[in-house]
Amino acid sequence: MCIRDRVDTVSYVGMETCASCHPDHHDTYQHTGMGRSFGLATRDRSDADYSGHPQVYDKALDLYYRPFWAGDSLKIAEFRLDGKDTIHYLVQTISYVIGSGQHTNSHLINRGGYLFQAPITFYTQEKRWDLAPGFSDGHNSRFSRLIETECMTCHNGLPQPLAGSLNGYEAVPTGIDCERCHGPGAEHVRQKLAGILVDTANDIDYTIVHPGKLPLDAQLDLCQRCHLQGVTVLNEGSDWFDFRPGDRISDHWNIFLPDFAGGNGGFLMASQAERLRRSACFVATGGISCITCHNPHQSVRETPRAVFNQPCKDCHGGGSACKATLAVRQAGADDCSRCHMPRSGSVDIPHVTITDHKVSIPGRAQTGQGAFSGLECLTDDQPDAMTMARGYLRFFEAFSTDPAMLDSAARYLDQAARESPDPGFLQRTRLHLLYLQKNHAAGAVLAATTTPGDWQDAWSCYRAGECFSSVGNIGQSLPWLARAVELLPRHPDFRLKYANALAALGQNEAATREYTEVLKQEPNAAQAWSNLGFLELQRGEGSSGERRLREAARLDPDYLPARLHLAQWYRASGRELESAIVVKQLLKRHAGDPSVQALAERWQIR
């Protein structure tokens, strides 16, 4: 099917332009989960309950969180208590609410155009605050989790990314808009304004995508773009912005999920498409699509149950084929979908229940989790060896610490080498494997066979630099880290590593410049504050160095180097009481750390 809007030169016009001709769809769409997916952090946009001074406690980090309003600004306070004393207090301003409120409201922070996720979420079904998904059990990254374009291009419209960054944006829309499903509309608008009309009752208007007119596979991929959650691996040279309605996902990336033989394995929150594909109904009918049951312009909450049940009755004799007793059917309001698609919890999001889209016969569904039998590529029936290798590498990075995942990646890479892929791509992927295996010596040997300028991938350059650093060859790490910064100049983590290498080589003036640039991009970078402060102390700039160390300790109460440097600085300045207070605090939380023990023993502090 030829769809003109897939031409790269066609531009987007914005949802308000669409609304001028389609006000009915626009008005109802505002109430859907997609329409409410992303918004400014305002009182009327938030679905959370702030009564009773709610707070969340992270036992693993011994940190409390409290959401509150200061005028019209939503804030989240992080604090730590020592008895009745507050020994740490940090407040962050929330800029955006992400999530429709049907299940959750999570919260994003905008620091100078860079977006980060806050550590607490409001779970609307249970009306409770708790740690955000993925932040519990010691995984709390506090206010530093990057909101990269993979996340943003599913939970929102199409933002304008800041070139050279991972989580920076020049402009951020508020909500998934019409053109995410219908494609860019400039050509459609131009022709309609020119009076070029199409009788869509009899013909297809090729200036815009009508999802219902797409082939089934393309229909499913359009929905699976965001409703097929798993481990996602971009194709070489692709970007998260490349997909347009009518495309195949595998043209741009592939999605993997673990296969648990002999078990149900649970399901992910946004895995509706994968669950549907596992249904006998999907297989028997040759494929039903999401829009068989869902009208994307209408909220699920406002859709009559009969709409969801009608497709079932169309295939099953109007409901006469149901084998449940009349009493059971009447007790369930004769609701097919509630019985055969029950609500359940997901394996990745706590405190929510969602509809399981795997249509099943009650009592016959597999339960429990079988043995892991490998990764399944859900977007390509015949993935090549390189694709599978990269899937295992990404799965290990994101979800697993099992070295068997890396063994599988290595086997697929060996197979890929026999299939003669691009040699540079194979080399960079092998480096990725060696980096994850922590075989830094072999990684350094591999990287030494090429030069930084030969690679256009910032992450590969970063891994090469880290391999050289890990084997003590800081001099050779420096050009690789510099190349990573050159390719992603607005990613503070790469620049921080580069600054650390400069400092380790004694190039303190250059390191100071880089640390200062890091803090322009990410003012919450505690390590940059600490390292910059330490350099200033070495130069005899005691007052300035102390301020920077104190700022590092304020931003991250558990960043040990900052507090250790402070303790030593206080001692050297004759401020023994202040030094002792810092060490006693460290002994309470970091008694097992050798550096803390050494200071305590040297200064006889208990």
Side-chain angles (χ1 to χ4, degrees), residues 190-204:
R190 186 192 69 78
Q191 290 201 18
K192 302 318 154 203
L193 291 177
I196 304 173
L197 306 179
V198 176
D199 180 6
T200 54
N202 299 301
D203 297 299
I204 296 175

Side-chain angles (χ1 to χ4, degrees), residues 531-549:
N531 291 359
L532 186 56
F534 181 66
L535 289 180
E536 290 179 341
L537 291 183
Q538 287 184 314
R539 293 197 297 264
E541 301 171 13
S543 178
S544 177
E546 179 183 335
R547 285 198 304 272
R548 297 186 191 280
L549 290 173

Side-chain angles (χ1 to χ4, degrees), residues 401-425:
T401 57
D402 185 352
M405 301 298 138
L406 299 182
D407 294 340
S408 295
R411 287 195 297 272
Y412 276 113
L413 268 181
D414 289 341
Q415 180 182 337
R418 296 190 293 271
E419 296 174 358
S420 302
D422 172 73
F425 190 26

